[in-house]
């Protein structure tokens, strides 16, 4: 007994120290900007990217160019989140967050506009990979095959391989051809038994942006299959138009190029596929007990227990979503739409172009195809550990993946001097 209380005391003391340490790691909140009035430097006709830099304090202490891992949130999104947490701290309870329904709908509408979908084709998701798994679970894949590529996200490939081993699903993984693939690679393997083509729009491995999505989609449809696209590494920085690209189902989280939070994202399911080709695997809706004492006046035209299903892509949701996720997404989507994805693309392209031109000259060959138009560029290095050490010492934060692949993923707040600094360290 005594021993137990000793351990309890030690555990409590350690937790207190841990909490104090982890809390002190966070700085005081900055002065809060006016989140309802975004600044004029976002003007889509003449965006001022020097000022955009000030919206991301992350850049103050470090050259951060690892946005393909996690993108920082800007000061307006942080302020919106702060306002929400103040509400959660001081006012949570009934009446619940008065703006919730409006926020939920507005957030879906904002995302729908970004990808040219309709609001009722958008569901909230908890993650890209979970959404893709839910889609697979909701499809009748028996006797069919799935075609994907080795540039699809690794956790997704794992899921397909598991289904192959467990359920006998036939999975064809197309191998990239010099770090890219196109519709011709699919034509060789897609057939009438193909139920799904699953690909990643922008590869996290080398930044490869699939350019002939429409042709891949046409091929899928001609064979009775659908096209799923993981858009997490593109949306927000690369134009995504689900209609023009022929995307049937897509998913993403918000913590990369959407500049939002982790554990929250979006799922797009084309309207006519909802609960037909892609069944819901979760159930959520309204239940009404149509008998006494639940109701004073039973309606004889209705069953005793009346179920009201959800409609639209909401059928793929259960439970409350992350309110924090919604808050961040709303603020970030507003910021992105004010700035304009075309402007974002144009600006970030200048940075990646410079890297693509200079890095090979310094002895770092690129594995990103020439002329590729995404925010991610990747180079192979001979001495990965030493290279990363040098970069860290210079306060430059990038990623080293798959052994020797240096991934640089600049964003809207990076500038030419960030690129020069990195090139200087690596030369
Ligand atoms: C291409 C791609 N898909 C999916 C994910 C995982 O995202 P989530 O956490 O939303 O499942 C990542 C994360 O790095 C990624 O790069």
């Amino acid at each position: 007994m005594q021993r137990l209380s000793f351990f309890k005391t030690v555990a409590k003391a350690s937790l207190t120290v841990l909490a104090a340490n982890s809390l002190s790691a966070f700085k005081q909140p900055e002065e809060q900007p006016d989140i309802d009035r975004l600044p004029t430097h976002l003007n889509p006709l003449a965006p001022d990217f020097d000022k955009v830099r000030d919206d991301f304090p992350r850049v103050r202490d470090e050259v951060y160019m690892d946005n393909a891992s996690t993108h920082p949130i800007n000061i307006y999104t942080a302020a919106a989140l702060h306002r929400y947490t103040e509400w959660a701290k001081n006012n949570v309870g009934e009446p619940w967050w008065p703006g919730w329904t409006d926020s939920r709908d507005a957030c879906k509408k904002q995302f729908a506009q970004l990808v040219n979908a309709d609001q009722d084709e958008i569901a909230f998701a908890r993650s890209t990979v979970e959404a893709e798994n839910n889609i697979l679970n909701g499809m009748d894949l028996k006797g069919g095959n799935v075609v994907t590529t080795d540039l699809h996200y690794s956790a997704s490939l794992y899921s397909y391989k598991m289904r192959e081993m467990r359920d006998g699903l036939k999975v064809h993984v197309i191998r990239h051809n010099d770090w890219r693939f196109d519709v011709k690679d699919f034509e060789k393997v897609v057939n009438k038994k193909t139920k799904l083509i699953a690909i990643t729009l922008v590869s996290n491995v080398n930044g490869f942006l699939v350019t002939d999505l429409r042709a891949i989609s046409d091929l899928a449809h001609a064979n009775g299959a659908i096209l799923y696209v993981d858009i997490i590494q593109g949306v927000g920085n690369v134009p995504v138009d689900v209609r023009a690209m022929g995307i049937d189902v897509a998913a993403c989280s918000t913590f990369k190029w959407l500049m939002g939070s982790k554990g929250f994202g979006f799922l797009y399911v084309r309207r006519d596929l909802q609960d037909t080709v892609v069944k819901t695997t979760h159930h959520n809706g309204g239940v009404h007990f149509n008998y006494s004492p639940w109701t004073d006046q039973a309606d004889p035209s209705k069953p005793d227990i009346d179920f009201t299903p959800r409609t639209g892509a909401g059928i793929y949701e259960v439970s409350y979503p992350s309110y924090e996720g919604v808050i961040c997404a709303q603020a970030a989507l507003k910021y992105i739409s004010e700035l304009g994805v075309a402007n974002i693309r144009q600006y970030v392209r200048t940075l990646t172009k410079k890297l693509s031109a200079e890095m090979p000259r310094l002895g770092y060959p690129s594995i990103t195809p020439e002329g590729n138009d995404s925010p991610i560029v990747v180079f192979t290095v001979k001495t990965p550990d030493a290279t990363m050490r040098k970069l860290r010492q210079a306060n430059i934060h990038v990623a080293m993946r798959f052994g020797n692949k240096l991934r640089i993923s600049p964003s809207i707040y990076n500038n030419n001097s960030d690129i020069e600094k990195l090139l200087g360290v690596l030369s």
Side-chain angles (χ1 to χ4, degrees), residues 116-220:
N116 193 24
D118 288 332
Q119 193 180 321
D120 67 354
E121 294 175 309
I122 304 298
F124 292 142
R126 281 194 303 213
S127 90
T128 322
V129 173
E130 185 178 289
E132 184 175 355
N133 266 280
N134 287 339
I135 293 300
L136 292 179
N137 292 336
M139 287 184 71
D140 179 8
L141 297 170
K142 261 184 258 100
N145 67 61
V146 171
V147 179
T148 182
T149 81
D150 60 1
L151 290 178
H152 194 27
Y153 189 56
S154 55
S156 305
L157 291 176
Y158 182 91
S159 164
Y160 290 107
K161 276 292 166 193
M162 282 300 119
R163 285 162 206 267
E164 186 173 55
M165 293 200 307
R166 192 191 63 187
D167 310 329
L169 174 69
K170 288 212 166 26
V171 180
H172 194 100
V173 183
I174 293 171
R175 293 185 184 196
H176 69 78
N177 182 4
D178 201 13
W179 297 104
R180 62 190 309 157
F181 57 80
D182 62 32
V183 66
K184 291 196 198 76
D185 300 304
F186 287 85
E187 281 164 357
K188 290 177 203 145
V189 287
V190 170
N191 57 37
K192 294 285 177 203
K193 287 194 167 175
T194 305
K195 304 258 179 160
L196 175 72
I197 295 182
I199 53 181
T200 295
L201 178 66
V202 172
S203 162
N204 60 301
V205 179
N206 72 331
F208 170 60
L209 166 75
V210 183
T211 47
D212 52 0
L213 260 189
R214 183 76 237 187
I216 296 172
S217 165
D218 289 346
L219 179 70

Side-chain angles (χ1 to χ4, degrees), residues 2 20 49 73 90 98 108 110 128 183 196 239 251 254 309 316 327 347:
Q2 242 179 355
F49 282 93
I73 61 175
N90 299 314
K108 287 187 183 178
Q110 284 172 286
T128 322
V183 66
L196 175 72
T254 51
Y316 302 106
I327 293 288
Y347 178 78

Side-chain angles (χ1 to χ4, degrees), residues 336-356:
I336 291 169
S337 85
E338 293 279 324
L339 201 50
V341 174
N343 290 325
I344 293 176
R345 188 82 296 275
Q346 195 178 355
Y347 178 78
V348 176
R349 186 185 295 132
T350 59
L351 307 175
T352 49
K353 253 189 162 174
K354 179 154 183 157
L355 287 164
S356 299

